[in-house]
Short mmCIF file of all heavy atoms in Angstrom, two decimals:
data_model
loop_
_atom_site.label_atom_id
_atom_site.label_comp_id
_atom_site.label_asym_id
_atom_site.label_seq_id
_atom_site.Cartn_x
_atom_site.Cartn_y
_atom_site.Cartn_z
N THR A 24 67.53 43.28 -26.50
CA THR A 24 68.98 42.91 -26.85
C THR A 24 69.40 41.69 -26.22
O THR A 24 68.74 41.22 -25.33
CB THR A 24 69.91 44.15 -26.59
OG1 THR A 24 69.97 44.26 -25.22
CG2 THR A 24 69.44 45.39 -27.21
N LEU A 25 70.55 41.18 -26.58
CA LEU A 25 71.11 39.97 -26.03
C LEU A 25 71.50 40.17 -24.65
O LEU A 25 71.32 39.25 -23.80
CB LEU A 25 72.37 39.55 -26.88
CG LEU A 25 72.85 38.10 -26.66
CD1 LEU A 25 71.83 37.17 -26.92
CD2 LEU A 25 74.09 37.90 -27.60
N GLY A 26 71.93 41.32 -24.22
CA GLY A 26 72.26 41.61 -22.87
C GLY A 26 71.13 41.49 -21.92
O GLY A 26 71.23 40.84 -20.79
N VAL A 27 70.00 41.92 -22.38
CA VAL A 27 68.77 41.84 -21.57
C VAL A 27 68.33 40.37 -21.42
O VAL A 27 67.94 39.90 -20.32
CB VAL A 27 67.65 42.64 -22.14
CG1 VAL A 27 66.36 42.39 -21.46
CG2 VAL A 27 67.97 44.07 -22.18
N ALA A 28 68.50 39.57 -22.44
CA ALA A 28 68.19 38.16 -22.42
C ALA A 28 69.01 37.44 -21.36
O ALA A 28 68.53 36.59 -20.68
CB ALA A 28 68.25 37.54 -23.82
N PHE A 29 70.31 37.73 -21.37
CA PHE A 29 71.16 37.07 -20.43
C PHE A 29 70.87 37.60 -18.99
O PHE A 29 71.13 36.83 -18.03
CB PHE A 29 72.60 37.30 -20.80
CG PHE A 29 73.07 36.23 -21.77
CD1 PHE A 29 73.16 36.51 -23.13
CD2 PHE A 29 73.39 34.91 -21.39
CE1 PHE A 29 73.53 35.51 -24.03
CE2 PHE A 29 73.74 33.91 -22.28
CZ PHE A 29 73.86 34.29 -23.62
N ASP A 30 70.48 38.81 -18.85
CA ASP A 30 70.08 39.32 -17.50
C ASP A 30 68.93 38.42 -16.95
O ASP A 30 68.89 38.17 -15.80
CB ASP A 30 69.74 40.83 -17.55
CG ASP A 30 70.96 41.67 -17.65
OD1 ASP A 30 72.05 41.23 -17.37
OD2 ASP A 30 70.72 42.88 -18.01
N VAL A 31 67.92 38.17 -17.91
CA VAL A 31 66.79 37.42 -17.49
C VAL A 31 67.27 36.01 -17.10
O VAL A 31 66.74 35.44 -16.16
CB VAL A 31 65.68 37.44 -18.54
CG1 VAL A 31 64.60 36.50 -18.29
CG2 VAL A 31 65.10 38.82 -18.77
N LEU A 32 68.08 35.39 -18.00
CA LEU A 32 68.58 34.06 -17.73
C LEU A 32 69.35 34.01 -16.41
O LEU A 32 69.07 33.10 -15.56
CB LEU A 32 69.47 33.62 -18.85
CG LEU A 32 70.04 32.22 -18.84
CD1 LEU A 32 68.88 31.19 -18.98
CD2 LEU A 32 71.11 32.09 -19.87
N ASP A 33 70.17 34.90 -16.15
CA ASP A 33 70.93 35.01 -14.90
C ASP A 33 69.89 35.07 -13.69
O ASP A 33 70.11 34.38 -12.70
CB ASP A 33 71.91 36.23 -14.88
CG ASP A 33 72.63 36.37 -13.56
OD1 ASP A 33 73.20 35.39 -13.09
OD2 ASP A 33 72.58 37.47 -13.04
N TYR A 34 68.99 35.96 -13.72
CA TYR A 34 68.00 36.09 -12.68
C TYR A 34 67.21 34.77 -12.52
O TYR A 34 67.07 34.26 -11.32
CB TYR A 34 67.01 37.19 -12.95
CG TYR A 34 66.01 37.34 -11.80
CD1 TYR A 34 66.41 38.02 -10.66
CD2 TYR A 34 64.76 36.86 -11.92
CE1 TYR A 34 65.55 38.06 -9.61
CE2 TYR A 34 63.89 36.97 -10.89
CZ TYR A 34 64.30 37.63 -9.74
OH TYR A 34 63.37 37.65 -8.63
N ALA A 35 66.80 34.18 -13.54
CA ALA A 35 65.90 32.98 -13.45
C ALA A 35 66.66 31.83 -12.87
O ALA A 35 66.16 31.05 -12.09
CB ALA A 35 65.33 32.63 -14.75
N LEU A 36 67.95 31.63 -13.30
CA LEU A 36 68.68 30.41 -12.91
C LEU A 36 69.54 30.62 -11.72
O LEU A 36 69.88 29.63 -11.00
CB LEU A 36 69.57 29.96 -14.08
CG LEU A 36 68.88 29.48 -15.32
CD1 LEU A 36 69.79 29.13 -16.36
CD2 LEU A 36 67.92 28.27 -14.99
N LEU A 37 69.96 31.84 -11.40
CA LEU A 37 70.94 32.06 -10.31
C LEU A 37 70.61 33.07 -9.28
O LEU A 37 71.06 32.88 -8.14
CB LEU A 37 72.34 32.46 -11.05
CG LEU A 37 72.96 31.51 -11.98
CD1 LEU A 37 74.13 32.10 -12.72
CD2 LEU A 37 73.43 30.28 -11.24
N SER A 38 69.84 34.05 -9.59
CA SER A 38 69.67 35.12 -8.60
C SER A 38 68.29 35.16 -7.97
O SER A 38 68.14 35.68 -6.82
CB SER A 38 69.79 36.48 -9.38
OG SER A 38 71.04 36.59 -9.92
N ALA A 39 67.25 34.64 -8.55
CA ALA A 39 65.91 34.65 -7.99
C ALA A 39 65.84 33.73 -6.73
O ALA A 39 66.60 32.80 -6.61
CB ALA A 39 64.82 34.10 -9.06
N PRO A 40 64.98 34.01 -5.85
CA PRO A 40 64.77 33.16 -4.63
C PRO A 40 64.37 31.76 -5.15
O PRO A 40 63.49 31.59 -6.02
CB PRO A 40 63.57 33.76 -3.91
CG PRO A 40 63.62 35.21 -4.26
CD PRO A 40 64.13 35.23 -5.77
N GLY A 41 65.18 30.76 -4.67
CA GLY A 41 64.88 29.31 -5.15
C GLY A 41 65.44 29.07 -6.51
O GLY A 41 64.94 28.11 -7.21
N ALA A 42 66.39 29.86 -6.96
CA ALA A 42 66.84 29.59 -8.38
C ALA A 42 67.40 28.16 -8.47
O ALA A 42 68.29 27.77 -7.66
CB ALA A 42 68.06 30.58 -8.65
N PRO A 43 66.97 27.39 -9.47
CA PRO A 43 67.24 25.92 -9.52
C PRO A 43 68.73 25.63 -9.81
O PRO A 43 69.22 24.71 -9.18
CB PRO A 43 66.34 25.51 -10.70
CG PRO A 43 66.05 26.66 -11.46
CD PRO A 43 66.07 27.81 -10.53
N LEU A 44 69.36 26.34 -10.70
CA LEU A 44 70.75 25.97 -11.05
C LEU A 44 71.65 26.28 -9.83
O LEU A 44 72.50 25.50 -9.42
CB LEU A 44 71.20 26.73 -12.29
CG LEU A 44 72.71 26.45 -12.70
CD1 LEU A 44 72.95 24.99 -12.95
CD2 LEU A 44 73.07 27.32 -13.90
N LYS A 45 71.52 27.47 -9.22
CA LYS A 45 72.24 27.85 -8.05
C LYS A 45 72.05 26.86 -6.93
O LYS A 45 73.04 26.38 -6.30
CB LYS A 45 71.88 29.26 -7.57
CG LYS A 45 72.69 29.70 -6.39
CD LYS A 45 72.36 31.14 -6.02
CE LYS A 45 73.31 31.58 -4.99
NZ LYS A 45 73.13 33.08 -4.66
N GLN A 46 70.82 26.42 -6.61
CA GLN A 46 70.51 25.52 -5.55
C GLN A 46 71.10 24.12 -5.86
O GLN A 46 71.73 23.57 -4.91
CB GLN A 46 69.00 25.38 -5.38
CG GLN A 46 68.64 24.72 -4.03
CD GLN A 46 69.24 25.47 -2.83
OE1 GLN A 46 69.01 26.67 -2.68
NE2 GLN A 46 70.01 24.87 -2.01
N ALA A 47 71.08 23.67 -7.15
CA ALA A 47 71.66 22.36 -7.42
C ALA A 47 73.22 22.42 -7.23
O ALA A 47 73.77 21.38 -6.68
CB ALA A 47 71.35 22.01 -8.83
N LEU A 48 73.86 23.47 -7.63
CA LEU A 48 75.29 23.54 -7.47
C LEU A 48 75.64 23.68 -5.98
O LEU A 48 76.67 23.11 -5.49
CB LEU A 48 75.85 24.75 -8.22
CG LEU A 48 75.73 24.61 -9.78
CD1 LEU A 48 76.12 25.92 -10.48
CD2 LEU A 48 76.54 23.45 -10.28
N LEU A 49 74.88 24.51 -5.20
CA LEU A 49 75.19 24.59 -3.79
C LEU A 49 74.96 23.31 -3.09
O LEU A 49 75.76 22.83 -2.16
CB LEU A 49 74.29 25.65 -3.07
CG LEU A 49 74.61 27.14 -3.53
CD1 LEU A 49 73.50 28.08 -3.03
CD2 LEU A 49 76.01 27.56 -3.11
N ASP A 50 73.83 22.57 -3.35
CA ASP A 50 73.58 21.28 -2.76
C ASP A 50 74.64 20.22 -3.05
O ASP A 50 74.88 19.36 -2.29
CB ASP A 50 72.14 20.70 -3.18
CG ASP A 50 71.00 21.53 -2.72
OD1 ASP A 50 71.26 22.36 -1.80
OD2 ASP A 50 69.96 21.35 -3.26
N ALA A 51 75.31 20.36 -4.25
CA ALA A 51 76.29 19.37 -4.63
C ALA A 51 77.66 19.75 -4.03
O ALA A 51 78.59 19.03 -4.19
CB ALA A 51 76.45 19.33 -6.14
N GLY A 52 77.70 20.86 -3.31
CA GLY A 52 78.93 21.30 -2.61
C GLY A 52 79.99 21.92 -3.61
O GLY A 52 81.21 21.89 -3.30
N ILE A 53 79.53 22.47 -4.71
CA ILE A 53 80.45 23.09 -5.64
C ILE A 53 81.10 24.29 -5.07
O ILE A 53 82.26 24.56 -5.28
CB ILE A 53 79.69 23.49 -6.90
CG1 ILE A 53 79.15 22.24 -7.66
CG2 ILE A 53 80.58 24.25 -7.87
CD1 ILE A 53 80.18 21.26 -8.22
N GLY A 54 80.35 25.07 -4.20
CA GLY A 54 80.91 26.24 -3.56
C GLY A 54 79.90 26.80 -2.62
O GLY A 54 78.84 26.23 -2.45
N LYS A 55 80.29 27.88 -1.92
CA LYS A 55 79.45 28.50 -0.93
C LYS A 55 78.59 29.58 -1.55
O LYS A 55 77.62 30.01 -0.98
CB LYS A 55 80.32 29.10 0.18
CG LYS A 55 80.91 27.96 1.00
CD LYS A 55 81.56 28.52 2.25
CE LYS A 55 82.14 27.43 3.03
NZ LYS A 55 82.76 27.87 4.28
N ASP A 56 79.01 30.10 -2.74
CA ASP A 56 78.16 31.06 -3.42
C ASP A 56 78.42 30.87 -4.92
O ASP A 56 79.57 30.52 -5.38
CB ASP A 56 78.58 32.49 -3.01
CG ASP A 56 77.67 33.54 -3.62
OD1 ASP A 56 76.53 33.17 -3.92
OD2 ASP A 56 77.98 34.68 -3.64
N ILE A 57 77.32 30.91 -5.65
CA ILE A 57 77.34 30.78 -7.15
C ILE A 57 76.78 32.07 -7.74
O ILE A 57 75.72 32.49 -7.38
CB ILE A 57 76.55 29.57 -7.62
CG1 ILE A 57 76.86 28.33 -6.73
CG2 ILE A 57 76.64 29.30 -9.15
CD1 ILE A 57 78.20 27.71 -7.03
N TYR A 58 77.48 32.56 -8.80
CA TYR A 58 76.88 33.70 -9.45
C TYR A 58 77.34 33.70 -10.93
O TYR A 58 78.30 32.98 -11.31
CB TYR A 58 77.25 35.04 -8.82
CG TYR A 58 78.81 35.29 -8.61
CD1 TYR A 58 79.42 35.98 -9.59
CD2 TYR A 58 79.44 34.86 -7.50
CE1 TYR A 58 80.81 36.19 -9.37
CE2 TYR A 58 80.76 35.07 -7.36
CZ TYR A 58 81.45 35.74 -8.38
OH TYR A 58 82.86 35.94 -8.13
N GLY A 59 76.61 34.38 -11.80
CA GLY A 59 76.85 34.43 -13.17
C GLY A 59 77.09 35.92 -13.66
O GLY A 59 76.69 36.79 -12.95
N SER A 60 77.74 35.99 -14.83
CA SER A 60 77.91 37.27 -15.40
C SER A 60 77.92 37.16 -16.93
O SER A 60 78.40 36.15 -17.46
CB SER A 60 79.11 37.95 -14.90
OG SER A 60 80.28 37.25 -15.29
N TYR A 61 77.53 38.16 -17.55
CA TYR A 61 77.53 38.25 -19.05
C TYR A 61 78.42 39.35 -19.46
O TYR A 61 78.29 40.46 -18.90
CB TYR A 61 76.08 38.42 -19.64
CG TYR A 61 76.03 38.67 -21.14
CD1 TYR A 61 76.33 37.60 -21.96
CD2 TYR A 61 75.73 39.95 -21.60
CE1 TYR A 61 76.32 37.85 -23.31
CE2 TYR A 61 75.71 40.12 -22.92
CZ TYR A 61 76.06 39.11 -23.83
OH TYR A 61 75.93 39.28 -25.19
N ASN A 62 79.34 39.10 -20.45
CA ASN A 62 80.16 40.08 -20.94
C ASN A 62 80.14 40.18 -22.43
O ASN A 62 80.49 39.16 -23.05
CB ASN A 62 81.61 39.84 -20.48
CG ASN A 62 82.57 40.93 -20.66
OD1 ASN A 62 82.45 41.79 -21.66
ND2 ASN A 62 83.58 41.07 -19.87
N ASP A 63 79.74 41.36 -23.02
CA ASP A 63 79.73 41.56 -24.41
C ASP A 63 80.72 42.60 -24.88
O ASP A 63 80.62 43.08 -25.98
CB ASP A 63 78.27 41.80 -24.86
CG ASP A 63 77.79 43.15 -24.31
OD1 ASP A 63 78.47 43.79 -23.49
OD2 ASP A 63 76.68 43.55 -24.73
N GLY A 64 81.71 42.86 -24.10
CA GLY A 64 82.72 43.86 -24.38
C GLY A 64 83.84 43.38 -25.27
O GLY A 64 84.80 44.10 -25.58
N PHE A 65 83.76 42.05 -25.64
CA PHE A 65 84.74 41.44 -26.45
C PHE A 65 84.19 41.05 -27.84
O PHE A 65 83.03 41.11 -27.96
CB PHE A 65 85.38 40.26 -25.75
CG PHE A 65 86.08 40.53 -24.45
CD1 PHE A 65 85.47 40.31 -23.25
CD2 PHE A 65 87.35 41.00 -24.55
CE1 PHE A 65 86.14 40.56 -22.08
CE2 PHE A 65 88.05 41.35 -23.39
CZ PHE A 65 87.47 41.08 -22.07
N LEU A 66 85.03 40.56 -28.67
CA LEU A 66 84.52 40.14 -30.01
C LEU A 66 83.60 38.97 -29.87
O LEU A 66 82.56 38.88 -30.57
CB LEU A 66 85.73 39.75 -30.94
CG LEU A 66 85.44 39.29 -32.27
CD1 LEU A 66 84.67 40.44 -33.06
CD2 LEU A 66 86.66 38.88 -33.02
N GLN A 67 83.86 38.04 -28.89
CA GLN A 67 82.95 36.99 -28.58
C GLN A 67 82.35 37.14 -27.27
O GLN A 67 82.98 36.95 -26.21
CB GLN A 67 83.80 35.64 -28.61
CG GLN A 67 83.01 34.44 -28.29
CD GLN A 67 82.02 34.00 -29.44
OE1 GLN A 67 82.44 34.06 -30.63
NE2 GLN A 67 80.93 33.68 -29.06
N PRO A 68 81.03 37.51 -27.23
CA PRO A 68 80.41 37.57 -25.94
C PRO A 68 80.31 36.26 -25.27
O PRO A 68 80.31 35.23 -25.83
CB PRO A 68 78.94 38.08 -26.35
CG PRO A 68 79.10 38.57 -27.67
CD PRO A 68 80.19 37.75 -28.29
N TYR A 69 80.23 36.29 -23.87
CA TYR A 69 80.16 35.10 -23.11
C TYR A 69 79.45 35.29 -21.79
O TYR A 69 79.35 36.33 -21.23
CB TYR A 69 81.63 34.48 -22.82
CG TYR A 69 82.43 35.39 -21.92
CD1 TYR A 69 82.44 35.24 -20.63
CD2 TYR A 69 83.30 36.31 -22.55
CE1 TYR A 69 83.21 36.04 -19.84
CE2 TYR A 69 84.08 37.16 -21.79
CZ TYR A 69 83.98 37.07 -20.40
OH TYR A 69 84.85 37.81 -19.60
N PHE A 70 78.86 34.20 -21.34
CA PHE A 70 78.20 34.11 -20.01
C PHE A 70 79.00 33.15 -19.14
O PHE A 70 79.31 32.05 -19.60
CB PHE A 70 76.72 33.58 -20.17
CG PHE A 70 75.98 33.61 -18.93
CD1 PHE A 70 75.43 34.73 -18.35
CD2 PHE A 70 75.87 32.43 -18.16
CE1 PHE A 70 74.72 34.78 -17.20
CE2 PHE A 70 75.20 32.40 -16.98
CZ PHE A 70 74.70 33.56 -16.51
N SER A 71 79.37 33.63 -17.98
CA SER A 71 80.17 32.68 -17.15
C SER A 71 79.49 32.42 -15.82
O SER A 71 78.73 33.26 -15.30
CB SER A 71 81.56 33.38 -16.91
OG SER A 71 81.42 34.51 -16.19
N LEU A 72 79.75 31.26 -15.32
CA LEU A 72 79.37 30.88 -13.85
C LEU A 72 80.52 30.87 -13.00
O LEU A 72 81.63 30.35 -13.37
CB LEU A 72 78.70 29.49 -13.93
CG LEU A 72 77.42 29.31 -14.63
CD1 LEU A 72 77.01 27.91 -14.60
CD2 LEU A 72 76.30 30.13 -13.89
N THR A 73 80.44 31.41 -11.86
CA THR A 73 81.56 31.45 -10.89
C THR A 73 81.08 30.80 -9.56
O THR A 73 80.03 31.15 -8.98
CB THR A 73 82.01 32.92 -10.62
OG1 THR A 73 82.37 33.44 -11.87
CG2 THR A 73 83.24 32.95 -9.66
N ALA A 74 81.90 29.90 -9.03
CA ALA A 74 81.67 29.30 -7.76
C ALA A 74 82.68 29.77 -6.83
O ALA A 74 83.92 29.61 -7.05
CB ALA A 74 81.71 27.76 -7.87
N ALA A 75 82.32 30.39 -5.77
CA ALA A 75 83.15 31.01 -4.70
C ALA A 75 83.47 29.98 -3.62
O ALA A 75 82.55 29.32 -3.25
CB ALA A 75 82.58 32.33 -4.22
N VAL A 76 84.67 30.00 -3.21
CA VAL A 76 85.10 29.16 -2.07
C VAL A 76 84.78 27.66 -2.25
O VAL A 76 83.95 27.11 -1.57
CB VAL A 76 84.58 29.64 -0.70
CG1 VAL A 76 85.24 28.97 0.40
CG2 VAL A 76 84.75 31.10 -0.58
N LYS A 77 85.44 27.10 -3.26
CA LYS A 77 85.12 25.67 -3.57
C LYS A 77 85.79 24.83 -2.51
O LYS A 77 86.97 24.94 -2.20
CB LYS A 77 85.76 25.31 -4.90
CG LYS A 77 85.56 23.86 -5.29
CD LYS A 77 86.16 23.58 -6.63
CE LYS A 77 85.94 22.20 -7.01
NZ LYS A 77 86.90 21.25 -6.45
N PRO A 78 85.04 23.90 -1.89
CA PRO A 78 85.51 23.12 -0.84
C PRO A 78 86.49 22.06 -1.44
O PRO A 78 86.48 21.70 -2.65
CB PRO A 78 84.33 22.43 -0.31
CG PRO A 78 83.27 22.50 -1.25
CD PRO A 78 83.58 23.72 -2.15
N THR A 79 87.28 21.46 -0.54
CA THR A 79 88.21 20.48 -1.08
C THR A 79 87.48 19.09 -1.41
O THR A 79 86.37 18.90 -0.91
CB THR A 79 89.30 20.10 0.01
OG1 THR A 79 88.64 19.66 1.15
CG2 THR A 79 90.14 21.33 0.27
N GLY A 80 88.05 18.35 -2.20
CA GLY A 80 87.47 17.08 -2.66
C GLY A 80 87.10 17.16 -4.14
O GLY A 80 87.46 18.14 -4.77
N THR A 81 86.54 16.14 -4.61
CA THR A 81 86.17 16.07 -5.97
C THR A 81 84.66 16.03 -6.15
O THR A 81 83.93 15.55 -5.29
CB THR A 81 86.72 14.82 -6.70
OG1 THR A 81 86.21 13.64 -6.10
CG2 THR A 81 88.24 14.93 -6.64
N VAL A 82 84.17 16.60 -7.27
CA VAL A 82 82.72 16.67 -7.52
C VAL A 82 82.55 16.28 -9.00
O VAL A 82 83.29 16.74 -9.86
CB VAL A 82 82.10 18.05 -7.30
CG1 VAL A 82 80.68 18.12 -7.67
CG2 VAL A 82 82.31 18.46 -5.88
N ASP A 83 81.59 15.32 -9.28
CA ASP A 83 81.32 14.96 -10.66
C ASP A 83 80.32 15.91 -11.25
O ASP A 83 79.17 15.80 -11.03
CB ASP A 83 80.89 13.57 -10.67
CG ASP A 83 80.61 13.05 -12.14
OD1 ASP A 83 81.03 13.73 -13.11
OD2 ASP A 83 80.12 11.96 -12.31
N LEU A 84 80.76 16.92 -12.04
CA LEU A 84 79.92 17.90 -12.59
C LEU A 84 78.94 17.30 -13.55
O LEU A 84 77.72 17.78 -13.72
CB LEU A 84 80.74 19.01 -13.29
CG LEU A 84 80.00 20.23 -13.70
CD1 LEU A 84 79.22 20.90 -12.67
CD2 LEU A 84 80.91 21.21 -14.35
N MET A 85 79.25 16.28 -14.35
CA MET A 85 78.31 15.68 -15.26
C MET A 85 77.16 15.09 -14.56
O MET A 85 76.04 15.14 -15.09
CB MET A 85 79.07 14.69 -16.14
CG MET A 85 80.17 15.23 -17.03
SD MET A 85 79.47 16.59 -18.10
CE MET A 85 78.51 15.68 -19.25
N THR A 86 77.34 14.48 -13.43
CA THR A 86 76.25 13.90 -12.65
C THR A 86 75.32 14.99 -12.15
O THR A 86 74.16 14.77 -12.22
CB THR A 86 76.77 13.11 -11.43
OG1 THR A 86 77.70 12.10 -11.92
CG2 THR A 86 75.69 12.52 -10.63
N ILE A 87 75.86 16.15 -11.74
CA ILE A 87 75.05 17.23 -11.26
C ILE A 87 74.25 17.76 -12.43
O ILE A 87 73.04 18.01 -12.29
CB ILE A 87 75.94 18.30 -10.66
CG1 ILE A 87 76.68 17.80 -9.39
CG2 ILE A 87 75.13 19.53 -10.36
CD1 ILE A 87 77.80 18.66 -8.96
N MET A 88 74.84 17.96 -13.58
CA MET A 88 74.14 18.47 -14.71
C MET A 88 73.01 17.57 -15.21
O MET A 88 72.00 18.04 -15.72
CB MET A 88 75.13 18.74 -15.90
CG MET A 88 76.01 19.90 -15.52
SD MET A 88 77.38 20.15 -16.73
CE MET A 88 76.40 20.66 -18.14
N ALA A 89 73.18 16.23 -15.07
CA ALA A 89 72.20 15.31 -15.53
C ALA A 89 70.99 15.21 -14.62
O ALA A 89 69.94 14.77 -15.04
CB ALA A 89 72.88 13.86 -15.64
N SER A 90 71.15 15.66 -13.36
CA SER A 90 70.03 15.61 -12.38
C SER A 90 69.05 16.74 -12.48
O SER A 90 69.28 17.78 -13.11
CB SER A 90 70.47 15.42 -11.03
OG SER A 90 71.27 16.52 -10.61
#
């Protein structure tokens, strides 16, 4: 099902040891912890990324995504 697919995506990109997306966001100083969640309890299912404790300052997200 779609929920299982997003569980795998979450694990591969954010939860696994050495997860590349999480590491890139942490290295860029986006936050001290990054995690994702999938919610299909609404008419439009969605996957969200959350950055906890964002430091002050500005970060160019487009530059991070391009690297």
Side-chain angles (χ1 to χ4, degrees):
T24 66
L25 193 57
V27 173
F29 276 101
D30 285 342
V31 171
L32 184 66
D33 176 51
Y34 180 77
L36 295 177
L37 299 168
S38 301
L44 179 58
K45 181 176 186 173
Q46 194 59 53
L48 294 172
L49 291 173
D50 290 346
I53 297 292
K55 292 187 178 185
D56 191 18
I57 310 290
Y58 57 93
S60 65
Y61 173 71
N62 190 329
D63 62 355
F65 297 102
L66 183 61
Q67 178 69 45
Y69 63 90
F70 183 81
S71 65
L72 293 174
T73 303
V76 190
K77 182 179 179 279
T79 58
T81 60
V82 177
D83 183 9
L84 189 57
M85 294 308 290
T86 302
I87 296 166
M88 292 173 64
S90 61

